Amino acid sequence: MRLQLAIVVALTATAHADPEGDTATVVARTSGYLDNDDTAISTSTIAVKAKPKDEIVVSARYTADAVSSASVDVITAATERWTELRSEVAGGVAWVDSSMQLSADYIYSHENDWDSHTIGLGGSRDFLNHNLTLGLGAGYVTNAVGRRDDMTFSEKLNAVSGSVRAVWPASKDDLLQVSYDIARATGYQASPYRHAFARGPAGALIAFPEQNPELRTRHAVTLRWNHHLLDDTALRSHLRAYVDDWGIASVTTGTELVYGLDDFELSGNVRVYAQRHARFYQDVYDEPRVYMTADRELSSFQDVFAGVRAAWVPLDDKLSIDLSFTGFYFRFPEFSRLPSRLGATAGLGLVWAL
Amino acid sequence: MKLAVVFVIGAIGCQDNLDAKLDLAALDRPYFDCKVQPVLTKSCGALACHGDPLRFFHLFSRNRNRLDPDPMQLNALMTTAERDHNFAAALAVIDADNTDKSEILLKPLAEAAGGWYHEGAELYKGGDVFTAKDDPDYQVLTDWIGGATEVPTCMEPGSGLP
């Protein structure tokens, strides 16, 4: 669930150009998520970005998720519908001049059974008369994994990550970016609630507590292409290839068409994803294995997201009000308990530049 | 395309032993049939609990969940296949390397006694299956996991065994 929510959030926060204030920018967003796996989520965010000095940008954000779920994972854990509030606070500071940017960010998130601290550092610099930007990033996240109402369960999951990227204009209408990301996670990477199934001696299913490897190294290469089509019209596309040492390989591609008309901005986007399963994944295991998972996100699956967004930007670009809607469909051919999932998100945002 | 995926993953490197076989705890089958099965039938196998095939650790027991869906067979003697299943289901929730931390011991034990959260403790407002570790039925589970054995002729009352 965690990964797929991140995808939804990333997609609904489409890469449009929000107004940016001379001294401060305030962003308020709310969105709703609903799928046919009996899960509903309401997300609200308030964020502030301020420039106390010309070259200093500070930012802060608070996000709250109210989750209600009776998904197939919940039911097979012999549990009834649960609801909970998830909170996340983030703060950052950046130093920006005409050709260089340095940033540091911190995020703390809390759930009933999960606490997370994330530190991120980044930097970029322009070269060749601003015709080439090179960037570096590094991150560290430490998670305390618990189990609801169970003080005896406590696990750790830590991860370090790094990234490099290059951005350059390929022509007066084209901007290209290529990036490489690596992340290495160590610790508890299973779910304390899920059970994997193996075929038992009588033909019925036998449940085993989920167990995943404690190490995972991920690699991703992403190519982004922004193309200016006509006046106030642009096409933003991306292609991402991913592999990890659990045997997962995936490809993501998507594009967004953005059209500006006076005080309005309209956009439509589509994204498709295809994944090959982790080497140890089986829907129903042929025999008990050391590593057994019931995580459908480790199976082979495909998904498609399609969305539209409309923004009204009055007051000389000092205010933006936007509405967005995204529908999605997941196909899990190797996960018999939920062969497909259909859902949608709808969002309302307000950006005020001061 | 498939060849390219295999090549890239090969270049990055997959971890070894991702599909290694799990060694289950080597516990006594006659003790299970004679002593443990009655505890599971009495305390776990209700249809709203682990007699529900949709739940994990689902169990077969007389007058409850049966392998044979024929309602006329509901109260028939437990079959060997059903006993095999229950034995395998129980082994699956035992941590062979750290038996004290086994789910079969900690899930039905009251939190006040050191157990885990258990939805079943709240379902009927009756508390958890075992309120204390000195519960005789709980002792049956710990004894079995601790290596207790029984003669093959030991017979569960009313089971029709051997």
Side-chain angles (χ1 to χ4, degrees):
Chain A
M1 176 64 73
R2 192 176 301 273
L3 172 66
Q4 290 178 13
L5 288 182
I7 291 169
V8 171
V9 169
L11 284 169
T12 51
T14 48
H16 50 84
D18 281 333
E20 186 145 335
D22 296 329
T23 55
T25 305
V26 179
V27 180
R29 293 193 182 280
T30 185
S31 64
Y33 167 103
L34 196 63
D35 70 25
N36 65 345
D37 192 24
D38 274 334
T39 298
I41 303 170
S42 169
T43 301
S44 298
T45 296
I46 182 81
V48 179
K49 193 160 67 174
K51 295 179 179 174
K53 291 184 177 180
D54 280 350
E55 296 177 329
I56 302 293
V57 178
V58 294
S59 59
R61 173 177 58 81
Y62 173 75
T63 299
D65 273 345
V67 184
S68 173
S69 182
S71 69
V72 64
D73 285 346
V74 172
I75 297 303
T76 49
T79 302
E80 297 182 322
R81 174 177 290 277
W82 55 266
T83 58
E84 72 173 23
L85 180 68
R86 301 171 175 175
S87 301
E88 183 172 287
V89 292
V93 60
W95 180 82
V96 182
D97 76 359
S98 60
S99 63
M100 194 159 77
Q101 178 173 329
L102 299 171
S103 64
D105 299 284
Y106 169 75
I107 302 169
Y108 169 68
S109 63
H110 171 75
E111 299 172 24
N112 175 35
D113 54 3
W114 193 286
D115 272 306
S116 175
H117 301 268
T118 304
I119 295 171
L121 299 172
S124 65
R125 182 168 183 179
D126 292 351
F127 298 92
L128 306 175
N129 291 324
H130 302 290
N131 282 318
L132 174 66
T133 301
L134 297 179
L136 290 171
Y140 175 73
V141 55
T142 178
N143 303 287
V145 185
R147 181 162 45 199
R148 189 178 70 140
D149 298 324
D150 180 4
M151 300 305 290
T152 65
F153 183 90
S154 176
E155 295 285 351
K156 286 283 187 189
L157 172 61
N158 300 326
V160 292
S161 61
S163 65
V164 293
R165 73 177 191 280
V167 186
W168 71 98
S171 75
K172 68 181 180 60
D173 290 326
D174 297 285
L175 187 67
L176 292 175
Q177 173 179 313
V178 63
S179 60
Y180 167 73
D181 295 85
I182 183 170
R184 183 170 176 80
T186 58
Y188 184 79
Q189 305 195 46
S191 164
Y193 305 107
R194 272 198 301 258
H195 290 75
F197 292 93
R199 188 69 63 189
L205 299 180
I206 304 288
F208 290 78
E210 183 173 89
Q211 187 67 47
N212 290 346
E214 294 199 341
L215 290 175
R216 188 178 189 183
T217 305
R218 310 163 183 241
H219 308 264
V221 175
T222 306
L223 178 65
R224 296 184 184 278
W225 173 43
N226 288 0
H227 179 63
H228 175 241
L229 286 170
L230 302 166
D231 286 346
D232 285 338
T233 305
L235 196 63
R236 298 171 178 141
S237 306
H238 67 274
L239 176 66
R240 179 177 183 267
Y242 166 95
V243 292
D244 67 27
D245 63 356
W246 286 6
I248 289 179
S250 71
V251 175
T252 316
T253 188
T255 192
E256 179 187 23
L257 179 65
V258 185
Y259 174 63
L261 180 66
D262 298 329
D263 288 343
F264 291 91
E265 185 180 275
L266 305 172
S267 67
N269 64 80
V270 63
R271 167 197 175 275
V272 293
Y273 176 86
Q275 172 175 302
R276 176 187 180 275
H277 61 224
R279 204 172 88 189
F280 59 89
Y281 177 84
Q282 293 183 37
D283 186 18
V284 175
Y285 286 80
D286 51 357
E287 61 180 340
R289 306 286 181 133
V290 172
Y291 301 120
M292 301 176 75
T293 182
D295 185 355
R296 57 181 174 257
E297 289 168 18
L298 297 181
S299 70
S300 295
F301 71 91
Q302 305 85 39
D303 67 52
V304 57
F305 285 68
V308 291
R309 176 180 171 274
W312 178 44
V313 191
L315 305 177
D316 294 330
D317 289 351
K318 291 295 184 187
L319 181 68
S320 167
I321 300 170
D322 64 83
L323 286 167
S324 61
F325 178 85
T326 300
F328 59 83
Y329 175 75
F330 284 76
R331 179 175 172 269
F332 298 105
E334 295 179 343
F335 190 74
S336 55
R337 277 168 284 155
L338 186 72
S340 66
R341 189 167 56 138
L342 191 64
T345 65
L348 170 66
L350 186 149
V351 183
W352 187 19
L354 304 172
Chain B
M1 178 64 183
K2 192 171 181 179
L3 191 63
V5 169
V6 170
F7 175 78
V8 171
I9 291 174
I12 297 295
C14 227
Q15 291 182 34
D16 294 332
N17 300 320
L18 287 180
D19 42 16
K21 187 179 172 184
L22 177 67
D23 291 326
L24 299 172
L27 299 181
D28 190 59
R29 174 64 186 264
Y31 190 95
F32 177 86
D33 284 341
C34 185
K35 303 281 182 64
V36 177
Q37 174 64 50
V39 174
L40 300 182
T41 298
K42 182 175 75 173
S43 302
C44 310
L47 288 171
C49 302
H50 295 279
D52 182 345
L54 289 177
R55 308 287 193 188
F56 78 94
F57 188 50
H58 82 268
L59 298 165
F60 295 111
S61 50
R62 288 179 70 176
N63 272 322
R64 293 173 174 173
N65 180 36
R66 301 306 303 262
L67 193 56
D68 184 347
D70 180 359
M72 299 302 290
Q73 299 299 315
L74 198 61
N75 195 30
L77 297 177
M78 290 278 285
T79 65
T80 301
E82 289 173 323
R83 291 179 179 280
D84 288 347
H85 171 91
N86 288 353
F87 183 64
L91 291 181
V93 285
I94 292 169
D95 185 338
D97 297 325
N98 197 358
T99 52
D100 290 346
K101 293 291 184 185
S102 295
E103 199 163 358
I104 196 172
L105 291 180
L106 295 175
K107 195 77 174 176
L109 182 64
E111 291 177 66
W116 292 349
Y117 171 78
H118 185 199
E119 181 82 16
E122 299 175 354
L123 208 56
Y124 303 110
K125 316 294 182 196
D128 222 324
V129 177
F130 306 115
T131 56
K133 290 182 178 177
D134 60 3
D135 185 298
D137 285 350
Y138 189 80
Q139 285 295 321
V140 168
L141 297 181
T142 55
D143 288 349
W144 178 53
I145 292 169
T149 59
E150 196 43 273
V151 294
T153 52
C154 180
M155 187 171 73
E156 173 192 352
S159 68
L161 290 177

